[in-house]
């Protein structure tokens, strides 16, 4: 429970099935992402990246084990060098505290298609 307070989350247990359902239709809020990442043991960790996952998909990876989790078969917009995927990097807050890294990339064929990658900031 101390983990929940660390991210400014309530004492109420998160409604993970509801959060996952809503993730199919909208971007999750930083508090919801923190709830998922703080409760990662309730999920299956993907052993490899999916091939061309559809919009609204949500996967958990151990990025220390699965190095190339971004290789998902989609074509992402590249930097000017034409090789590297162009990713924006942001820190997201819960309350007034930075708690999450967020990297996102836009699709090459459809710029409204995005991949967002989150992980908790180290203390």
């Amino acid at each position: 429970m101390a983990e929940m307070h660390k991210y400014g989350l309530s004492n109420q247990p998160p409604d993970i099935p509801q959060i996952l359902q809503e993730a199919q239709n909208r971007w999750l809020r930083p508090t919801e992402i923190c709830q998922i990442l703080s409760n990662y043991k309730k999920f299956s960790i993907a052993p490899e990246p999916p091939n061309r996952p559809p919009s609204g998909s949500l996967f958990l990876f151990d990025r220390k084990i699965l190095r190339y989790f971004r290789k998902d078969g989609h074509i992402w917009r590249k930097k000017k060098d034409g090789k590297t995927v162009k990713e924006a990097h942001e820190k997201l807050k819960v309350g007034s505290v930075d708690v999450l890294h967020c990297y996102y990339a836009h699709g090459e064929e459809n710029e409204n298609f995005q991949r967002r990658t989150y992980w908790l900031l180290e203390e």
Side-chain angles (χ1 to χ4, degrees):
M1 223 25 100
E3 185 84 2
M4 300 299 273
H5 288 296
K6 180 168 76 173
Y7 299 114
L9 304 175
S10 72
N11 285 331
Q12 297 294 331
D15 187 355
I16 299 293
Q18 179 67 29
I19 292 171
L20 295 177
Q21 181 68 33
E22 292 186 20
Q24 294 177 1
N25 301 309
R26 67 169 176 85
W27 293 115
L28 295 178
R29 295 176 195 92
T31 54
E32 295 166 327
I33 297 162
C34 284
Q35 288 176 328
I36 290 170
L37 295 177
S38 297
N39 291 287
Y40 69 92
K41 291 180 181 173
K42 295 180 180 179
F43 296 88
S44 62
I45 305 297
E48 57 187 44
N51 186 33
R52 296 183 60 84
S55 179
S57 299
L58 189 140
F59 302 94
L60 268 62
F61 302 106
D62 184 338
R63 61 190 181 97
K64 293 177 181 163
I65 294 173
L66 185 62
R67 184 173 179 193
Y68 299 107
F69 62 90
R70 290 182 180 102
K71 294 193 183 238
D72 59 8
H74 286 291
I75 301 168
W76 301 102
R77 190 176 302 155
K78 305 277 193 248
K79 290 182 180 180
K80 291 179 184 176
D81 68 10
K83 298 177 187 173
T84 314
V85 171
K86 182 178 181 180
E87 286 186 322
H89 299 200
E90 294 184 13
K91 289 183 180 176
L92 302 179
K93 295 177 185 284
V94 171
S96 59
V97 180
D98 287 336
V99 294
L100 291 168
H101 279 294
C102 175
Y103 286 11
Y104 60 93
H106 294 269
E108 183 68 43
E109 298 153 355
N110 176 359
E111 76 173 42
N112 293 323
F113 187 68
Q114 292 185 25
R115 173 188 67 210
R116 292 193 180 187
T117 307
Y118 302 97
W119 64 92
L120 295 170
L121 287 167
E122 301 293 324
E123 289 190 45

